[in-house]
Every structure is written in structure tokens, then in C-alpha cells.
PDB file of all heavy atoms in Angstrom:
ATOM      1  N   GLY A   1      12.737 -15.318   2.656  1.00 92.00           N
ATOM      2  CA  GLY A   1      12.637 -14.567   1.383  1.00 92.00           C
ATOM      3  C   GLY A   1      11.628 -13.510   1.403  1.00 92.00           C
ATOM      4  O   GLY A   1      11.837 -12.428   0.878  1.00 92.00           O
ATOM      5  N   SER A   2      10.515 -13.769   2.043  1.00 92.00           N
ATOM      6  CA  SER A   2       9.449 -12.694   2.168  1.00 92.00           C
ATOM      7  C   SER A   2       9.944 -11.549   3.029  1.00 92.00           C
ATOM      8  O   SER A   2       9.683 -10.392   2.725  1.00 92.00           O
ATOM      9  CB  SER A   2       8.181 -13.305   2.814  1.00 92.00           C
ATOM     10  OG  SER A   2       7.641 -14.357   2.040  1.00 92.00           O
ATOM     11  N   ALA A   3      10.729 -11.887   4.096  1.00 91.00           N
ATOM     12  CA  ALA A   3      11.261 -10.804   4.952  1.00 91.00           C
ATOM     13  C   ALA A   3      12.260  -9.925   4.134  1.00 91.00           C
ATOM     14  O   ALA A   3      12.241  -8.697   4.261  1.00 91.00           O
ATOM     15  CB  ALA A   3      11.936 -11.403   6.133  1.00 91.00           C
ATOM     16  N   LEU A   4      13.090 -10.582   3.378  1.00 89.00           N
ATOM     17  CA  LEU A   4      14.009  -9.824   2.561  1.00 89.00           C
ATOM     18  C   LEU A   4      13.314  -8.954   1.531  1.00 89.00           C
ATOM     19  O   LEU A   4      13.740  -7.832   1.201  1.00 89.00           O
ATOM     20  CB  LEU A   4      15.027 -10.779   1.858  1.00 89.00           C
ATOM     21  CG  LEU A   4      15.997 -11.519   2.800  1.00 89.00           C
ATOM     22  CD1 LEU A   4      16.776 -12.526   1.998  1.00 89.00           C
ATOM     23  CD2 LEU A   4      16.975 -10.563   3.494  1.00 89.00           C
ATOM     24  N   PHE A   5      12.290  -9.485   0.944  1.00 90.00           N
ATOM     25  CA  PHE A   5      11.500  -8.734  -0.015  1.00 90.00           C
ATOM     26  C   PHE A   5      10.861  -7.512   0.645  1.00 90.00           C
ATOM     27  O   PHE A   5      10.856  -6.410   0.057  1.00 90.00           O
ATOM     28  CB  PHE A   5      10.399  -9.597  -0.610  1.00 90.00           C
ATOM     29  CG  PHE A   5       9.489  -8.934  -1.565  1.00 90.00           C
ATOM     30  CD1 PHE A   5       9.867  -8.632  -2.785  1.00 90.00           C
ATOM     31  CD2 PHE A   5       8.178  -8.617  -1.201  1.00 90.00           C
ATOM     32  CE1 PHE A   5       9.070  -8.003  -3.727  1.00 90.00           C
ATOM     33  CE2 PHE A   5       7.325  -7.974  -2.077  1.00 90.00           C
ATOM     34  CZ  PHE A   5       7.770  -7.618  -3.358  1.00 90.00           C
ATOM     35  N   LEU A   6      10.222  -7.681   1.817  1.00 87.00           N
ATOM     36  CA  LEU A   6       9.603  -6.538   2.493  1.00 87.00           C
ATOM     37  C   LEU A   6      10.688  -5.492   2.918  1.00 87.00           C
ATOM     38  O   LEU A   6      10.410  -4.317   2.861  1.00 87.00           O
ATOM     39  CB  LEU A   6       8.898  -7.065   3.721  1.00 87.00           C
ATOM     40  CG  LEU A   6       7.637  -7.897   3.516  1.00 87.00           C
ATOM     41  CD1 LEU A   6       7.053  -8.331   4.824  1.00 87.00           C
ATOM     42  CD2 LEU A   6       6.603  -7.159   2.715  1.00 87.00           C
ATOM     43  N   TRP A   7      11.873  -5.938   3.323  1.00 87.00           N
ATOM     44  CA  TRP A   7      12.917  -5.021   3.744  1.00 87.00           C
ATOM     45  C   TRP A   7      13.397  -4.167   2.559  1.00 87.00           C
ATOM     46  O   TRP A   7      13.816  -3.060   2.767  1.00 87.00           O
ATOM     47  CB  TRP A   7      14.117  -5.825   4.315  1.00 87.00           C
ATOM     48  CG  TRP A   7      15.229  -4.946   4.773  1.00 87.00           C
ATOM     49  CD1 TRP A   7      16.399  -4.725   4.134  1.00 87.00           C
ATOM     50  CD2 TRP A   7      15.272  -4.193   5.937  1.00 87.00           C
ATOM     51  NE1 TRP A   7      17.190  -3.856   4.857  1.00 87.00           N
ATOM     52  CE2 TRP A   7      16.510  -3.477   5.964  1.00 87.00           C
ATOM     53  CE3 TRP A   7      14.370  -3.968   6.987  1.00 87.00           C
ATOM     54  CZ2 TRP A   7      16.885  -2.640   6.985  1.00 87.00           C
ATOM     55  CZ3 TRP A   7      14.754  -3.100   8.058  1.00 87.00           C
ATOM     56  CH2 TRP A   7      16.002  -2.460   8.005  1.00 87.00           C
ATOM     57  N   ALA A   8      13.314  -4.718   1.368  1.00 87.00           N
ATOM     58  CA  ALA A   8      13.839  -4.019   0.167  1.00 87.00           C
ATOM     59  C   ALA A   8      12.900  -2.985  -0.371  1.00 87.00           C
ATOM     60  O   ALA A   8      13.241  -2.179  -1.244  1.00 87.00           O
ATOM     61  CB  ALA A   8      14.211  -5.015  -0.905  1.00 87.00           C
ATOM     62  N   ILE A   9      11.580  -2.970   0.106  1.00 85.00           N
ATOM     63  CA  ILE A   9      10.590  -2.052  -0.419  1.00 85.00           C
ATOM     64  C   ILE A   9      10.437  -0.893   0.583  1.00 85.00           C
ATOM     65  O   ILE A   9       9.990  -1.064   1.648  1.00 85.00           O
ATOM     66  CB  ILE A   9       9.248  -2.729  -0.612  1.00 85.00           C
ATOM     67  CG1 ILE A   9       9.389  -3.926  -1.527  1.00 85.00           C
ATOM     68  CG2 ILE A   9       8.225  -1.752  -1.161  1.00 85.00           C
ATOM     69  CD1 ILE A   9       8.072  -4.676  -1.729  1.00 85.00           C
ATOM     70  N   PRO A  10      10.887   0.357   0.214  1.00 83.00           N
ATOM     71  CA  PRO A  10      10.678   1.492   1.074  1.00 83.00           C
ATOM     72  C   PRO A  10       9.177   1.868   1.164  1.00 83.00           C
ATOM     73  O   PRO A  10       8.387   1.542   0.299  1.00 83.00           O
ATOM     74  CB  PRO A  10      11.522   2.603   0.430  1.00 83.00           C
ATOM     75  CG  PRO A  10      11.587   2.159  -0.992  1.00 83.00           C
ATOM     76  CD  PRO A  10      11.585   0.675  -1.027  1.00 83.00           C
ATOM     77  N   ALA A  11       8.918   2.635   2.213  1.00 82.00           N
ATOM     78  CA  ALA A  11       7.465   3.017   2.482  1.00 82.00           C
ATOM     79  C   ALA A  11       6.954   3.861   1.370  1.00 82.00           C
ATOM     80  O   ALA A  11       5.762   3.736   1.011  1.00 82.00           O
ATOM     81  CB  ALA A  11       7.377   3.728   3.815  1.00 82.00           C
ATOM     82  N   TYR A  12       7.748   4.742   0.775  1.00 81.00           N
ATOM     83  CA  TYR A  12       7.231   5.624  -0.256  1.00 81.00           C
ATOM     84  C   TYR A  12       6.960   4.911  -1.594  1.00 81.00           C
ATOM     85  O   TYR A  12       6.382   5.463  -2.494  1.00 81.00           O
ATOM     86  CB  TYR A  12       8.189   6.832  -0.448  1.00 81.00           C
ATOM     87  CG  TYR A  12       9.617   6.433  -0.859  1.00 81.00           C
ATOM     88  CD1 TYR A  12       9.927   6.183  -2.164  1.00 81.00           C
ATOM     89  CD2 TYR A  12      10.589   6.358   0.086  1.00 81.00           C
ATOM     90  CE1 TYR A  12      11.231   5.872  -2.538  1.00 81.00           C
ATOM     91  CE2 TYR A  12      11.904   6.002  -0.274  1.00 81.00           C
ATOM     92  CZ  TYR A  12      12.199   5.796  -1.558  1.00 81.00           C
ATOM     93  OH  TYR A  12      13.494   5.419  -1.943  1.00 81.00           O
ATOM     94  N   VAL A  13       7.390   3.700  -1.656  1.00 85.00           N
ATOM     95  CA  VAL A  13       7.099   2.881  -2.856  1.00 85.00           C
ATOM     96  C   VAL A  13       5.913   1.936  -2.535  1.00 85.00           C
ATOM     97  O   VAL A  13       5.007   1.760  -3.340  1.00 85.00           O
ATOM     98  CB  VAL A  13       8.297   2.058  -3.290  1.00 85.00           C
ATOM     99  CG1 VAL A  13       7.908   1.067  -4.439  1.00 85.00           C
ATOM    100  CG2 VAL A  13       9.437   2.991  -3.774  1.00 85.00           C
ATOM    101  N   ALA A  14       5.960   1.274  -1.350  1.00 85.00           N
ATOM    102  CA  ALA A  14       4.900   0.350  -0.975  1.00 85.00           C
ATOM    103  C   ALA A  14       3.557   1.030  -0.852  1.00 85.00           C
ATOM    104  O   ALA A  14       2.511   0.449  -1.254  1.00 85.00           O
ATOM    105  CB  ALA A  14       5.253  -0.340   0.301  1.00 85.00           C
ATOM    106  N   GLY A  15       3.523   2.274  -0.359  1.00 84.00           N
ATOM    107  CA  GLY A  15       2.217   2.920  -0.143  1.00 84.00           C
ATOM    108  C   GLY A  15       1.458   3.132  -1.412  1.00 84.00           C
ATOM    109  O   GLY A  15       0.293   2.661  -1.586  1.00 84.00           O
ATOM    110  N   PRO A  16       2.025   3.890  -2.384  1.00 84.00           N
ATOM    111  CA  PRO A  16       1.320   4.088  -3.648  1.00 84.00           C
ATOM    112  C   PRO A  16       0.979   2.781  -4.399  1.00 84.00           C
ATOM    113  O   PRO A  16      -0.112   2.656  -5.019  1.00 84.00           O
ATOM    114  CB  PRO A  16       2.294   4.956  -4.458  1.00 84.00           C
ATOM    115  CG  PRO A  16       3.121   5.615  -3.466  1.00 84.00           C
ATOM    116  CD  PRO A  16       3.255   4.638  -2.347  1.00 84.00           C
ATOM    117  N   LEU A  17       1.885   1.816  -4.388  1.00 85.00           N
ATOM    118  CA  LEU A  17       1.652   0.539  -5.080  1.00 85.00           C
ATOM    119  C   LEU A  17       0.445  -0.193  -4.463  1.00 85.00           C
ATOM    120  O   LEU A  17      -0.355  -0.751  -5.170  1.00 85.00           O
ATOM    121  CB  LEU A  17       2.925  -0.322  -5.039  1.00 85.00           C
ATOM    122  CG  LEU A  17       4.062   0.041  -5.940  1.00 85.00           C
ATOM    123  CD1 LEU A  17       5.222  -0.934  -5.743  1.00 85.00           C
ATOM    124  CD2 LEU A  17       3.608   0.093  -7.373  1.00 85.00           C
ATOM    125  N   LEU A  18       0.382  -0.196  -3.133  1.00 83.00           N
ATOM    126  CA  LEU A  18      -0.773  -0.863  -2.470  1.00 83.00           C
ATOM    127  C   LEU A  18      -2.093  -0.142  -2.806  1.00 83.00           C
ATOM    128  O   LEU A  18      -3.132  -0.790  -2.927  1.00 83.00           O
ATOM    129  CB  LEU A  18      -0.499  -1.053  -1.011  1.00 83.00           C
ATOM    130  CG  LEU A  18       0.496  -2.096  -0.578  1.00 83.00           C
ATOM    131  CD1 LEU A  18       0.661  -2.112   0.958  1.00 83.00           C
ATOM    132  CD2 LEU A  18       0.053  -3.454  -1.028  1.00 83.00           C
ATOM    133  N   MET A  19      -1.994   1.151  -2.823  1.00 81.00           N
ATOM    134  CA  MET A  19      -3.242   1.862  -3.165  1.00 81.00           C
ATOM    135  C   MET A  19      -3.698   1.595  -4.588  1.00 81.00           C
ATOM    136  O   MET A  19      -4.886   1.389  -4.843  1.00 81.00           O
ATOM    137  CB  MET A  19      -2.947   3.386  -2.975  1.00 81.00           C
ATOM    138  CG  MET A  19      -2.775   3.854  -1.531  1.00 81.00           C
ATOM    139  SD  MET A  19      -2.678   5.671  -1.343  1.00 81.00           S
ATOM    140  CE  MET A  19      -4.342   6.134  -1.664  1.00 81.00           C
ATOM    141  N   VAL A  20      -2.718   1.544  -5.509  1.00 81.00           N
ATOM    142  CA  VAL A  20      -3.130   1.251  -6.875  1.00 81.00           C
ATOM    143  C   VAL A  20      -3.637  -0.232  -6.993  1.00 81.00           C
ATOM    144  O   VAL A  20      -4.665  -0.447  -7.671  1.00 81.00           O
ATOM    145  CB  VAL A  20      -1.915   1.406  -7.821  1.00 81.00           C
ATOM    146  CG1 VAL A  20      -2.192   0.895  -9.229  1.00 81.00           C
ATOM    147  CG2 VAL A  20      -1.500   2.859  -7.902  1.00 81.00           C
ATOM    148  N   LEU A  21      -3.005  -1.108  -6.259  1.00 81.00           N
ATOM    149  CA  LEU A  21      -3.458  -2.517  -6.265  1.00 81.00           C
ATOM    150  C   LEU A  21      -4.827  -2.674  -5.696  1.00 81.00           C
ATOM    151  O   LEU A  21      -5.682  -3.409  -6.174  1.00 81.00           O
ATOM    152  CB  LEU A  21      -2.432  -3.391  -5.487  1.00 81.00           C
ATOM    153  CG  LEU A  21      -2.717  -4.881  -5.447  1.00 81.00           C
ATOM    154  CD1 LEU A  21      -2.669  -5.470  -6.829  1.00 81.00           C
ATOM    155  CD2 LEU A  21      -1.724  -5.558  -4.506  1.00 81.00           C
ATOM    156  N   LEU A  22      -5.103  -1.886  -4.612  1.00 78.00           N
ATOM    157  CA  LEU A  22      -6.459  -1.964  -3.981  1.00 78.00           C
ATOM    158  C   LEU A  22      -7.488  -1.396  -4.989  1.00 78.00           C
ATOM    159  O   LEU A  22      -8.587  -1.986  -5.042  1.00 78.00           O
ATOM    160  CB  LEU A  22      -6.425  -1.136  -2.713  1.00 78.00           C
ATOM    161  CG  LEU A  22      -7.703  -1.185  -1.888  1.00 78.00           C
ATOM    162  CD1 LEU A  22      -7.915  -2.611  -1.383  1.00 78.00           C
ATOM    163  CD2 LEU A  22      -7.606  -0.232  -0.705  1.00 78.00           C
ATOM    164  N   ILE A  23      -7.213  -0.369  -5.722  1.00 75.00           N
ATOM    165  CA  ILE A  23      -8.154   0.182  -6.698  1.00 75.00           C
ATOM    166  C   ILE A  23      -8.431  -0.821  -7.789  1.00 75.00           C
ATOM    167  O   ILE A  23      -9.538  -0.928  -8.265  1.00 75.00           O
ATOM    168  CB  ILE A  23      -7.624   1.522  -7.217  1.00 75.00           C
ATOM    169  CG1 ILE A  23      -7.551   2.560  -6.102  1.00 75.00           C
ATOM    170  CG2 ILE A  23      -8.487   1.977  -8.334  1.00 75.00           C
ATOM    171  CD1 ILE A  23      -6.932   3.845  -6.500  1.00 75.00           C
ATOM    172  N   LEU A  24      -7.356  -1.505  -8.203  1.00 76.00           N
ATOM    173  CA  LEU A  24      -7.539  -2.508  -9.319  1.00 76.00           C
ATOM    174  C   LEU A  24      -8.357  -3.692  -8.848  1.00 76.00           C
ATOM    175  O   LEU A  24      -9.158  -4.250  -9.585  1.00 76.00           O
ATOM    176  CB  LEU A  24      -6.183  -2.935  -9.833  1.00 76.00           C
ATOM    177  CG  LEU A  24      -5.308  -1.901 -10.525  1.00 76.00           C
ATOM    178  CD1 LEU A  24      -3.966  -2.463 -10.905  1.00 76.00           C
ATOM    179  CD2 LEU A  24      -6.063  -1.408 -11.748  1.00 76.00           C
ATOM    180  N   ILE A  25      -8.151  -4.106  -7.599  1.00 76.00           N
ATOM    181  CA  ILE A  25      -8.879  -5.263  -7.073  1.00 76.00           C
ATOM    182  C   ILE A  25     -10.268  -4.901  -6.757  1.00 76.00           C
ATOM    183  O   ILE A  25     -11.218  -5.677  -6.994  1.00 76.00           O
ATOM    184  CB  ILE A  25      -8.158  -5.814  -5.826  1.00 76.00           C
ATOM    185  CG1 ILE A  25      -6.791  -6.390  -6.194  1.00 76.00           C
ATOM    186  CG2 ILE A  25      -8.979  -6.903  -5.151  1.00 76.00           C
ATOM    187  CD1 ILE A  25      -5.986  -6.836  -4.999  1.00 76.00           C
ATOM    188  N   LEU A  26     -10.438  -3.744  -6.206  1.00 68.00           N
ATOM    189  CA  LEU A  26     -11.858  -3.294  -5.803  1.00 68.00           C
ATOM    190  C   LEU A  26     -12.242  -2.033  -6.707  1.00 68.00           C
ATOM    191  O   LEU A  26     -12.137  -0.923  -6.242  1.00 68.00           O
ATOM    192  CB  LEU A  26     -11.898  -2.912  -4.352  1.00 68.00           C
ATOM    193  CG  LEU A  26     -11.532  -4.053  -3.343  1.00 68.00           C
ATOM    194  CD1 LEU A  26     -11.440  -3.470  -1.935  1.00 68.00           C
ATOM    195  CD2 LEU A  26     -12.529  -5.204  -3.429  1.00 68.00           C
ATOM    196  N   PRO A  27     -12.682  -2.285  -7.885  1.00 65.00           N
ATOM    197  CA  PRO A  27     -13.014  -1.152  -8.729  1.00 65.00           C
ATOM    198  C   PRO A  27     -14.250  -0.427  -8.145  1.00 65.00           C
ATOM    199  O   PRO A  27     -15.200  -0.999  -7.720  1.00 65.00           O
ATOM    200  CB  PRO A  27     -13.360  -1.809 -10.078  1.00 65.00           C
ATOM    201  CG  PRO A  27     -13.684  -3.227  -9.765  1.00 65.00           C
ATOM    202  CD  PRO A  27     -12.830  -3.562  -8.560  1.00 65.00           C
ATOM    203  N   GLY A  28     -14.101   0.893  -8.170  1.00 59.00           N
ATOM    204  CA  GLY A  28     -15.211   1.706  -7.577  1.00 59.00           C
ATOM    205  C   GLY A  28     -15.112   1.801  -6.050  1.00 59.00           C
ATOM    206  O   GLY A  28     -15.956   2.561  -5.476  1.00 59.00           O
ATOM    207  N   GLY A  29     -14.175   1.145  -5.438  1.00 57.00           N
ATOM    208  CA  GLY A  29     -14.078   1.238  -3.971  1.00 57.00           C
ATOM    209  C   GLY A  29     -13.401   2.521  -3.550  1.00 57.00           C
ATOM    210  O   GLY A  29     -12.696   3.166  -4.307  1.00 57.00           O
ATOM    211  N   SER A  30     -13.617   2.889  -2.320  1.00 65.00           N
ATOM    212  CA  SER A  30     -13.055   4.128  -1.812  1.00 65.00           C
ATOM    213  C   SER A  30     -11.566   3.931  -1.446  1.00 65.00           C
ATOM    214  O   SER A  30     -11.237   2.836  -0.927  1.00 65.00           O
ATOM    215  CB  SER A  30     -13.814   4.538  -0.566  1.00 65.00           C
ATOM    216  OG  SER A  30     -13.770   3.608   0.448  1.00 65.00           O
ATOM    217  N   VAL A  31     -10.759   4.857  -1.718  1.00 70.00           N
ATOM    218  CA  VAL A  31      -9.353   4.829  -1.342  1.00 70.00           C
ATOM    219  C   VAL A  31      -9.219   5.128   0.089  1.00 70.00           C
ATOM    220  O   VAL A  31      -9.789   6.066   0.623  1.00 70.00           O
ATOM    221  CB  VAL A  31      -8.568   5.835  -2.199  1.00 70.00           C
ATOM    222  CG1 VAL A  31      -7.095   5.840  -1.830  1.00 70.00           C
ATOM    223  CG2 VAL A  31      -8.725   5.564  -3.706  1.00 70.00           C
ATOM    224  N   PRO A  32      -8.377   4.320   0.839  1.00 74.00           N
ATOM    225  CA  PRO A  32      -8.144   4.520   2.271  1.00 74.00           C
ATOM    226  C   PRO A  32      -7.407   5.785   2.524  1.00 74.00           C
ATOM    227  O   PRO A  32      -6.120   5.773   2.755  1.00 74.00           O
ATOM    228  CB  PRO A  32      -7.447   3.273   2.759  1.00 74.00           C
ATOM    229  CG  PRO A  32      -6.744   2.782   1.518  1.00 74.00           C
ATOM    230  CD  PRO A  32      -7.628   3.153   0.358  1.00 74.00           C
ATOM    231  N   TYR A  33      -8.039   6.952   2.522  1.00 77.00           N
ATOM    232  CA  TYR A  33      -7.358   8.224   2.687  1.00 77.00           C
ATOM    233  C   TYR A  33      -7.987   8.952   3.866  1.00 77.00           C
ATOM    234  O   TYR A  33      -9.196   9.123   3.932  1.00 77.00           O
ATOM    235  CB  TYR A  33      -7.462   9.050   1.411  1.00 77.00           C
ATOM    236  CG  TYR A  33      -6.631  10.324   1.336  1.00 77.00           C
ATOM    237  CD1 TYR A  33      -5.304  10.160   0.881  1.00 77.00           C
ATOM    238  CD2 TYR A  33      -7.092  11.515   1.685  1.00 77.00           C
ATOM    239  CE1 TYR A  33      -4.531  11.321   0.834  1.00 77.00           C
ATOM    240  CE2 TYR A  33      -6.310  12.651   1.648  1.00 77.00           C
ATOM    241  CZ  TYR A  33      -5.021  12.531   1.238  1.00 77.00           C
ATOM    242  OH  TYR A  33      -4.227  13.636   1.160  1.00 77.00           O
ATOM    243  N   GLY A  34      -7.167   9.442   4.762  1.00 80.00           N
ATOM    244  CA  GLY A  34      -7.649  10.170   5.941  1.00 80.00           C
ATOM    245  C   GLY A  34      -7.520   9.394   7.181  1.00 80.00           C
ATOM    246  O   GLY A  34      -7.054   8.274   7.231  1.00 80.00           O
ATOM    247  N   TRP A  35      -7.938  10.025   8.293  1.00 84.00           N
ATOM    248  CA  TRP A  35      -7.791   9.443   9.619  1.00 84.00           C
ATOM    249  C   TRP A  35      -9.149   9.400  10.332  1.00 84.00           C
ATOM    250  O   TRP A  35      -9.830  10.378  10.391  1.00 84.00           O
ATOM    251  CB  TRP A  35      -6.818  10.283  10.410  1.00 84.00           C
ATOM    252  CG  TRP A  35      -6.703   9.889  11.884  1.00 84.00           C
ATOM    253  CD1 TRP A  35      -7.195  10.496  12.963  1.00 84.00           C
ATOM    254  CD2 TRP A  35      -5.927   8.798  12.363  1.00 84.00           C
ATOM    255  NE1 TRP A  35      -6.860   9.859  14.091  1.00 84.00           N
ATOM    256  CE2 TRP A  35      -6.057   8.810  13.780  1.00 84.00           C
ATOM    257  CE3 TRP A  35      -5.154   7.749  11.822  1.00 84.00           C
ATOM    258  CZ2 TRP A  35      -5.504   7.840  14.593  1.00 84.00           C
ATOM    259  CZ3 TRP A  35      -4.578   6.797  12.617  1.00 84.00           C
ATOM    260  CH2 TRP A  35      -4.719   6.870  14.012  1.00 84.00           C
ATOM    261  N   GLY A  36      -9.498   8.231  10.890  1.00 81.00           N
ATOM    262  CA  GLY A  36     -10.726   8.065  11.619  1.00 81.00           C
ATOM    263  C   GLY A  36     -10.468   7.315  12.934  1.00 81.00           C
ATOM    264  O   GLY A  36     -11.428   6.821  13.530  1.00 81.00           O
ATOM    265  N   GLY A  37      -9.188   7.276  13.402  1.00 80.00           N
ATOM    266  CA  GLY A  37      -8.893   6.604  14.649  1.00 80.00           C
ATOM    267  C   GLY A  37      -8.323   5.195  14.383  1.00 80.00           C
ATOM    268  O   GLY A  37      -8.325   4.699  13.216  1.00 80.00           O
ATOM    269  N   ILE A  38      -7.768   4.571  15.415  1.00 84.00           N
ATOM    270  CA  ILE A  38      -7.129   3.262  15.270  1.00 84.00           C
ATOM    271  C   ILE A  38      -8.072   2.155  15.024  1.00 84.00           C
ATOM    272  O   ILE A  38      -7.626   1.036  14.603  1.00 84.00           O
ATOM    273  CB  ILE A  38      -6.284   2.947  16.511  1.00 84.00           C
ATOM    274  CG1 ILE A  38      -7.169   2.884  17.751  1.00 84.00           C
ATOM    275  CG2 ILE A  38      -5.173   3.951  16.694  1.00 84.00           C
ATOM    276  CD1 ILE A  38      -6.380   2.466  19.005  1.00 84.00           C
TER     277      ILE A  38
END
């Protein structure tokens, strides 16, 4: 069921939703934006 749920969520929806969720969970935290290597 989890696999089917992940398959149904496109990247352009999952990305913004996870960013919003991260901001709500970590208020005042920095948004993971940019590249600093692997």
C-alpha cells in the first residue's frame, strides 16, 4: 500500500508538500534549497 501511495504522487507534488511539511515541523528552520554536494 505504501508503494502504491508513493507511485501515485508525482515529483512536482511531493517536492513542495515535503518542503511545506518540513517548515511546519521545524518552525524557523532553513529550507533545503541549493546544492552543496552529495
Side-chain angles (χ1 to χ4, degrees):
S2 300
L4 293 174
F5 176 75
L6 293 178
W7 180 257
I9 304 179
Y12 57 84
V13 174
L17 286 179
L18 284 179
M19 291 185 72
V20 172
L21 182 62
L22 185 64
I23 294 174
L24 293 177
I25 295 176
L26 300 174
S30 60
V31 178
Y33 192 84
W35 173 257
I38 59 175

